[in-house]
Amino acid sequence: MANFNPWSETKVDSTAENRGPLLGISGEKDHTVPWAIVHASYKKQSRNEHAVTEIIEMPGRGHSLTIDGGWREVCDTALAFVKRFV
């Protein structure tokens, strides 16, 4: 609801000091949530000086990153990111 009501309790606090690491993953051929949208979110979140924020674009991938063929590459990328922080 934060998209419709900026005072919603579901609004994301991009400055939260206790926010964990965040990885944005985009598919190069994603027309549903294109790179421009993912990158804009990344730019906003990366202003948080207390938390790691990274972004990656998966070459040749569309919106269905984890259900199309090649999903293991996407999962391996995400898992490598998570392993850096646990």
Side-chain angles (χ1 to χ4, degrees), residues 19-23 45 48-54 81 84-85:
R19 191 201 87 200
L22 177 68
L23 174 64
Q45 291 292 333
N48 184 330
E49 58 191 43
H50 306 286
V52 172
T53 306
E54 296 179 12
F81 178 81
R84 289 178 28 215
F85 301 100

Side-chain angles (χ1 to χ4, degrees), residues 6-52:
W7 300 277
S8 168
E9 291 180 12
T10 60
K11 181 181 179 199
V12 174
D13 180 4
S14 61
T15 63
E17 292 186 22
N18 63 346
R19 191 201 87 200
L22 177 68
L23 174 64
I25 302 178
S26 179
E28 173 188 27
K29 298 180 179 182
D30 188 341
H31 300 292
T32 304
V33 183
W35 175 257
I37 301 297
V38 178
H39 191 257
S41 295
Y42 163 77
K43 285 190 343 186
K44 182 172 185 168
Q45 291 292 333
S46 66
R47 291 185 206 130
N48 184 330
E49 58 191 43
H50 306 286
V52 172

Side-chain angles (χ1 to χ4, degrees), residues 68-80:
D68 288 342
W71 61 268
R72 287 182 194 269
E73 179 186 2
V74 177
C75 292
D76 287 343
T77 300
L79 185 58

